[in-house]
Amino acid sequence: MPNRILQPELVAIDSIDFVAPKQHVLSDTTSLYHMKDVPNETSRFDLYFDAGVCRGQKGIPSFVNGLLLSGTKDKTSNELQSEINSLGGFLDSGISIENSVVTVYCLREHLPAIFKTVVHAIQGVTFDKNEVQEYLVDRRQSLKISQEKVGYLAQQRFREKLFASSQSYSYTLSVSDIDAVTIGELRDFHKKHYLNGLNKVVVVGDISDEVITEIKDAVTPIIVSSQEDFTDKITNEPGKFEQEKEGAVQSAVRLGRTLFNKNHDDYLDFLILNTILGDYFGSRLMTNIREDKGYTYGIGSMIAELNGTGYFLIATEVGSDVKDATLKEIQIETERLQSELVSEDELELVRNYMLGQLLKSADGPYAMTDLFLSAEIHGKSLKFYNQALASIRDITPERIQELAKKYLKWDDFSIVAVG
Amino acid sequence: MISFERFTLDNGLRVIFHKDATTPMVVVNTLYDVGARDESEDKTGFAHLFEHLMFGGSINIPEFDTPLQMAGGENNAFTSNDITNYYDVLPSKNIETGLWLESDRMLSLAFTPKSLEVQRSVVIEEFKQRYLNQPYGDVWLELRPLVYKEHPYKWATIGKEISHIEDATMEDVKSFFKKHYNPSNAILCIAGNIELEEVKSLTNKWYGDIPGGQKPVRNLPIEPKQLEFREKTIERKVPVDAFYYAFRMVPRRNQDYLTVDVLSDALGRDKSSRLYLSLKKDQNLVSNIGAYITGSIDEGLLVISGKLNNGVSFEDLDAALWKELSALTTELVPTNELERLKIKIQTSKEFNDQGLLNRAMNLSMHELLGGAEKINEESEIYQKITPEDIQRIARETLNKTNCSLLKVKADNAE
């Protein structure tokens, strides 16, 4: 009979192997990162462009991102898709506030051919009238569907308040902007931000050096010549902003404030505070608002990073009748972290949990590459994660309280509720 | 090729071990052979509510999550119409914490009345979040009873209605555990950088003394063959008209199951698929369209769904769609098209197999379906599928009398 009362003895995580991809410098502004050590046939490449939402107006960056594969003068969109799909490629393109990324997953033997197709498609996109028309009709439709979701509405409203000081960061897509855009505007943006906009290439997979050289040659013409700065000055508009959505049985809540990124001295310790508050299943918010009160299916907090700054966010969807009660409890939890010291037991739990999760996020070439990239974007090397290990081990209850007092003041938050 | 070892404990617990020497993590995956199809019609949503309660404490351990987090791990679970699956991912040095926790909750649950009350509310919020407060969120609540008249697939995992969850009693929940949660009804898969001997000794240590129990006999009503086209229109406050064509298909263990999968890919997997090219790109009838299979163990569905463009009627779409479907029954799929579908399947399998957790879950599922070794046979079965096979399956499946159509009409369409 095993002893079922006592937890088996735990072994501490003393070190983690962090492995960097190989860097190939392409220019002052742009590098290619290659993670070669992949023990199977899979591969991936990412093309990063300085073509995020903040670089344009009226939804244009997002439309251009969505139209990158819409056809060149030699090939229709159907032909481009067929070339990629016939080689088993999965293409994904996405845009965030500060960048635009095109990603392909495929077997490594087909990576060279798919890479060529994708780069040519991006370089030669003509913004064919019919394709643009079709795309905008689809966007209009999907926007209308999104606008029926309380989560989407709250997220957009929150962005407006979070980035209140910057129009290009707080922009949210509207139907009238979809209707107003012209092909000329799309072409201008593409020329400026894609034909002269590539600022990072990532390759994961057991790909030969010859192929890496081909890839470097293929992208040389579109490398960004000089990297524009990103803003480091964003301030949110504190206050409570509520919006009614007829017929909604749940309310979406988003609240937070502008904060910082990995380049700030408080970042690593704040990450621990964030975990305690809302970033794991046993967090204060989950324990109170889901597991004690049953108000929600889920609630969480996070730090989101931008090139020059960052922000803190708490998000949940709750029964409409308990929205105010939920906000009250969130306030209680943020204030409790300021007024009471975290117990050693809880801190020990969070330490162990975070170490285990860091170990996991370095497990395997894909996870390791992403971990590397999230430090690289802030000019950090993998040493940063050794600092993270140290910070997790050395954190004290007093330090947590100090950070809570500094950054979790209720009056500093922008609070949005839609429902 | 995914290698594994298999052994069975004296109490009937089947154990699959998959060694991966490259990872510092270990996965402990437990599949229970119980899903929403095992519920009675007046108490639906139980398998899923129960999954929530499995975290509320077991006979010797007051709460599940904290000790696992203390070991640096995390866990989650999901319930489908067929199975309930629990997984823990933790640093492999701490594997015993995972086995201690999972074996104790297999031994006996000990959740409190408060835990039942709270999880009941949490599940009701989940019901709202996923099914009621989303545009098109209730589609499956409508589509299932249109297709299934007898088989328990007629209700969704979340339950037929919120009142079933509201009315669940402590007694109901306890008898559910007693019936379905025992070693003879479970498959345990352990994956990571450990040795077989260690796995054997650890599983014997933690699971060996759990009474085997009786594997429940499943005796589900058989869904009669569908003989007529079915159609239902619902009006909802959504911006766009949407359609869902559901075709009955062979069960998961049938030899033609993977052929139906390829057929659905031909119809609507990606932007080179037939329906996308014809109905969207050529005819401009829809803003999006896709096809997929539900992956059910019993007779599942091949579903074609999408949204209409403004000004297009359901009738326009219907005519164009059936024309494409009939092409698959009258003409053979060209070889290069079939090659394209196969390489896409092969690529997604390679990526799927990349993740340790995926491997553990897939091994467990295959073991349930008839033997974990089948995980390594699928690729060959796919490769052998011929244009003639696809035509035969298209003729069997893509019939009007085998089809149920749900139309969601926008009641505020422009």
Side-chain angles (χ1 to χ4, degrees):
Chain A
M1 262 298 238
N3 182 340
R4 291 192 175 275
I5 309 292
L6 286 180
Q7 174 160 13
E9 207 172 314
L10 294 177
V11 181
I13 294 160
D14 38 23
S15 69
I16 300 176
D17 287 335
F18 297 110
V19 185
K22 184 172 174 194
Q23 181 176 12
H24 301 254
V25 175
L26 306 182
S27 77
D28 294 350
T29 57
T30 303
S31 283
L32 181 153
Y33 295 100
H34 180 205
M35 181 66 88
K36 194 175 163 66
D37 191 11
V38 177
N40 54 51
E41 294 301 307
T42 64
S43 69
R44 174 186 113 192
F45 68 82
D46 312 317
L47 297 165
Y48 285 76
F49 295 91
D50 183 17
V53 171
C54 73
R55 293 291 187 234
Q57 289 178 324
K58 296 186 295 181
I60 291 165
S62 161
F63 304 147
V64 173
N65 173 280
L67 283 160
L68 288 173
L69 271 283
S70 64
T72 65
K73 69 181 187 337
D74 308 319
K75 287 172 191 164
T76 63
S77 65
N78 291 351
E79 287 167 343
L80 290 169
Q81 289 293 342
S82 169
E83 280 184 21
I84 295 165
N85 289 323
S86 299
L87 296 173
F90 289 83
L91 181 134
D92 195 16
S93 74
I95 187 161
S96 64
I97 295 178
E98 291 182 333
N99 65 37
S100 160
V101 190
V102 176
T103 295
V104 170
Y105 296 88
C106 61
L107 299 180
R108 67 187 177 109
E109 62 179 304
H110 299 306
L111 186 135
I114 296 177
F115 191 89
K116 256 180 219 145
T117 299
V118 171
V119 170
H120 284 156
I122 294 172
Q123 271 182 297
V125 56
T126 54
F127 297 97
D128 170 81
K129 201 175 114 215
N130 291 330
E131 289 282 343
V132 172
Q133 185 58 29
E134 183 193 336
Y135 173 78
L136 293 174
V137 167
D138 293 350
R139 278 303 291 264
R140 199 164 184 274
Q141 212 186 67
S142 64
L143 177 61
K144 292 202 149 193
I145 293 169
S146 296
Q147 287 172 340
E148 291 299 313
K149 300 178 183 169
V150 289
Y152 176 85
L153 294 172
Q155 191 63 33
Q156 298 304 91
R157 196 82 199 280
F158 178 69
R159 260 180 67 169
E160 289 169 21
K161 300 302 169 192
L162 180 72
F163 298 124
S165 63
S166 161
Q167 213 196 336
S168 61
Y169 277 64
S170 65
Y171 174 80
T172 62
L173 185 61
S174 69
V175 171
S176 59
D177 284 347
I178 297 176
D179 293 341
V181 69
T182 67
I183 287 182
E185 290 172 315
L186 299 174
R187 288 193 179 133
D188 288 347
F189 186 86
H190 174 259
K191 192 171 170 204
K192 190 162 171 214
H193 294 282
Y194 285 90
L195 296 184
N196 175 16
L198 183 84
N199 60 12
K200 195 178 341 186
V201 182
V202 178
V203 179
V204 186
D206 188 2
I207 303 290
S208 71
D209 291 347
E210 291 73 46
V211 171
I212 295 294
T213 305
E214 282 173 32
I215 287 174
K216 290 199 279 201
D217 292 344
V219 299
T220 302
I222 55 172
I223 289 172
V224 68
S225 48
S226 70
Q227 175 68 50
E228 259 183 82
D229 285 341
F230 292 97
T231 183
D232 54 2
K233 285 178 211 58
I234 295 276
T235 36
N236 64 299
E237 180 187 342
K240 193 169 166 189
F241 309 93
E242 300 198 66
Q243 187 178 319
E244 185 126 348
K245 167 96 177 61
E246 205 193 317
V249 295
Q250 278 194 323
S251 296
V253 173
R254 302 286 183 273
L255 65 102
R257 54 163 296 168
T258 41
L259 202 63
F260 41 62
N261 62 29
K262 290 193 177 67
N263 278 315
H264 194 283
D265 288 343
D266 287 339
Y267 176 88
L268 282 171
D269 289 347
F270 187 87
L271 208 57
I272 303 168
L273 169 59
N274 173 62
T275 305
I276 295 170
L277 176 63
D279 200 22
Y280 74 121
F281 200 88
S283 70
R284 299 260 178 116
L285 292 175
M286 277 294 268
T287 303
N288 178 347
I289 292 162
R290 175 178 146 137
E291 293 298 298
D292 186 58
K293 309 281 189 316
Y295 289 165
T296 182
Y297 179 51
I299 181 165
S301 70
M302 64 180 287
I303 307 172
E305 295 179 79
L306 297 163
N307 279 275
T309 176
Y311 61 92
F312 169 72
L313 166 71
I314 295 173
T316 185
E317 254 104 279
V318 299
S320 295
D321 52 329
V322 290
K323 180 211 36 172
D324 290 328
T326 301
L327 283 173
K328 185 85 212 142
E329 293 302 327
I330 296 173
Q331 183 176 1
I332 288 172
E333 291 302 341
T334 53
E335 287 172 356
R336 201 153 66 87
L337 283 161
Q338 299 170 50
S339 60
E340 292 169 20
L341 288 175
V342 174
S343 72
E344 261 311 323
D345 283 355
E346 183 177 1
L347 205 49
E348 189 58 18
L349 173 68
V350 169
R351 269 191 201 110
N352 287 357
Y353 173 75
M354 288 184 80
L355 291 173
Q357 294 313 296
L358 193 53
L359 183 69
K360 189 177 154 204
S361 52
D363 182 19
Y366 288 91
M368 192 57 240
T369 301
D370 292 337
L371 194 67
F372 169 83
L373 292 172
S374 95
E376 183 272 341
I377 188 175
H378 301 293
K380 304 273 184 198
S381 73
L382 287 172
K383 282 191 193 123
F384 181 77
Y385 295 106
N386 288 315
Q387 289 164 17
L389 286 173
S391 145
I392 294 167
R393 286 201 191 100
D394 299 344
I395 191 86
T396 62
E398 289 73 20
R399 173 74 174 143
I400 296 287
Q401 186 178 37
E402 177 196 331
L403 291 175
K405 282 181 178 166
K406 204 163 160 188
Y407 298 116
L408 298 183
K409 289 195 197 105
W410 192 251
D411 290 341
D412 290 343
F413 290 146
S414 305
I415 302 164
V416 170
V418 178
Chain B
M1 175 79 177
I2 297 172
S3 61
F4 67 91
E5 303 279 347
R6 173 176 34 208
F7 57 94
T8 304
L9 302 187
D10 292 342
N11 57 16
L13 178 67
R14 281 181 276 173
V15 185
I16 307 282
F17 164 56
H18 166 65
K19 180 165 171 140
D20 180 340
T22 69
T23 174
M25 308 301 286
V26 68
V27 172
V28 177
N29 189 71
T30 315
L31 182 156
Y32 288 95
D33 185 6
V34 57
R37 65 177 166 161
D38 299 304
E39 298 160 348
S40 64
E41 193 165 358
D42 56 344
K43 287 178 182 177
T44 65
F46 258 60
H48 172 250
L49 172 64
F50 193 80
E51 172 217 310
H52 278 247
L53 290 166
M54 281 285 276
F55 295 89
S58 53
I59 187 83
N60 297 296
I61 308 169
E63 199 244 333
F64 187 89
D65 291 287
T66 307
L68 191 72
Q69 288 153 1
M70 195 58 123
E74 61 169 5
N75 69 89
N76 212 331
F78 63 84
T79 310
S80 74
N81 291 76
D82 293 322
I83 61 157
T84 314
N85 191 81
Y86 300 82
Y87 62 84
D88 313 300
V89 183
L90 67 166
S92 59
K93 291 168 180 168
N94 290 331
I95 182 176
E96 274 209 81
T97 287
L99 299 175
W100 168 64
L101 287 163
E102 288 295 351
S103 64
D104 203 55
R105 68 178 175 181
M106 189 182 288
L107 181 65
S108 189
L109 273 195
F111 56 87
T112 58
K114 158 138 190 180
S115 179
L116 176 59
E117 285 325 301
V118 167
Q119 291 312 316
R120 199 201 298 280
S121 319
V122 169
V123 169
I124 290 169
E125 289 308 321
E126 183 181 357
F127 200 129
K128 291 184 197 162
Q129 186 170 329
R130 290 191 166 167
Y131 296 84
L132 304 182
N133 212 31
Q134 297 288 340
Y136 315 100
D138 63 343
V139 156
W140 279 94
L141 302 180
E142 298 285 345
L143 188 55
R144 287 184 174 280
L146 185 63
V147 177
Y148 296 103
K149 301 299 174 191
E150 300 295 330
H151 191 281
Y153 283 169
K154 65 182 161 180
W155 58 82
T157 311
I158 194 82
K160 213 165 155 178
E161 46 197 280
I162 284 186
S163 68
H164 288 186
I165 298 159
E166 284 167 344
D167 296 343
T169 67
M170 201 72 170
E171 214 165 297
D172 292 335
V173 176
K174 280 187 175 154
S175 69
F176 194 87
F177 178 82
K178 205 164 172 237
K179 184 168 175 197
H180 298 288
Y181 281 74
N182 62 53
S184 57
N185 209 33
I187 293 163
L188 173 68
C189 179
I190 294 173
N193 187 17
I194 38 177
E195 299 301 328
L196 177 63
E197 285 318 306
E198 197 187 351
V199 172
K200 281 187 174 163
S201 94
L202 287 175
T203 48
N204 262 306
K205 171 177 170 188
W206 290 106
Y207 292 86
D209 64 351
I210 304 176
Q214 197 85 45
K215 188 167 172 63
V217 181
R218 183 175 278 123
N219 206 347
L220 301 180
I222 306 240
E223 185 63 30
K225 190 174 159 56
Q226 185 175 332
L227 298 169
E228 75 295 326
F229 174 66
R230 294 174 191 162
E231 186 175 348
K232 183 175 183 183
T233 305
I234 55 176
E235 284 201 13
R236 291 291 182 271
K237 213 179 156 308
V238 291
V240 182
D241 292 340
F243 55 86
Y244 301 80
Y245 287 80
F247 297 86
R248 298 258 306 268
M249 62 173 278
V250 296
R252 183 71 182 80
R253 293 185 181 89
N254 186 288
Q255 55 181 4
D256 287 326
Y257 174 83
L258 297 181
T259 310
V260 190
D261 188 30
V262 178
L263 174 65
S264 75
D265 287 355
L267 285 166
R269 175 167 196 157
D270 57 28
K271 289 181 176 172
S272 298
S273 66
R274 288 173 174 234
L275 297 179
Y276 187 89
L277 288 177
S278 167
L279 273 57
K280 178 169 168 60
K281 299 302 282 189
D282 287 351
Q283 303 179 61
N284 219 1
L285 299 172
V286 297
S287 61
N288 64 60
I289 189 161
Y292 58 93
I293 59 174
T294 52
S296 315
I297 291 183
D298 297 328
E299 275 188 34
L301 300 174
L302 182 160
V303 181
I304 297 169
S305 66
K307 300 201 168 65
L308 293 181
N309 268 336
N310 241 342
V312 174
S313 70
F314 283 109
E315 290 71 32
D316 296 339
L317 166 84
D318 196 66
L321 177 68
W322 283 104
K323 204 170 153 213
E324 285 305 320
L325 300 185
S326 97
L328 277 161
T329 62
T330 52
E331 294 153 38
L332 291 175
V333 172
T335 331
N336 59 348
E337 182 179 351
L338 189 53
E339 283 314 305
R340 191 191 85 233
L341 303 173
K342 286 179 181 176
I343 187 171
K344 211 115 196 206
I345 287 167
Q346 189 199 345
T347 307
S348 49
K349 182 172 165 52
E350 294 279 343
F351 274 95
N352 216 335
D353 288 350
Q354 246 249 125
L356 187 69
L357 176 60
N358 274 337
R359 271 175 273 157
M361 290 198 297
N362 288 338
L363 281 165
S364 308
M365 189 66 192
H366 279 282
E367 179 64 17
L368 177 72
L369 289 170
E373 51 283 344
K374 293 201 188 302
I375 199 172
N376 294 315
E377 294 164 11
E378 274 194 345
S379 291
E380 208 187 319
I381 298 174
Y382 274 120
Q383 289 312 319
K384 283 187 177 155
I385 290 170
T386 65
E388 287 76 15
D389 291 331
I390 298 200
Q391 186 178 46
R392 176 173 54 82
I393 289 303
R395 283 176 179 164
E396 278 173 27
T397 311
L398 303 176
N399 292 312
K400 197 126 193 178
T401 54
N402 188 43
C403 177
S404 302
L405 167 60
L406 180 70
K407 300 192 274 197
V408 185
K409 191 132 188 50
D411 74 357
N412 57 349
E414 291 163 79

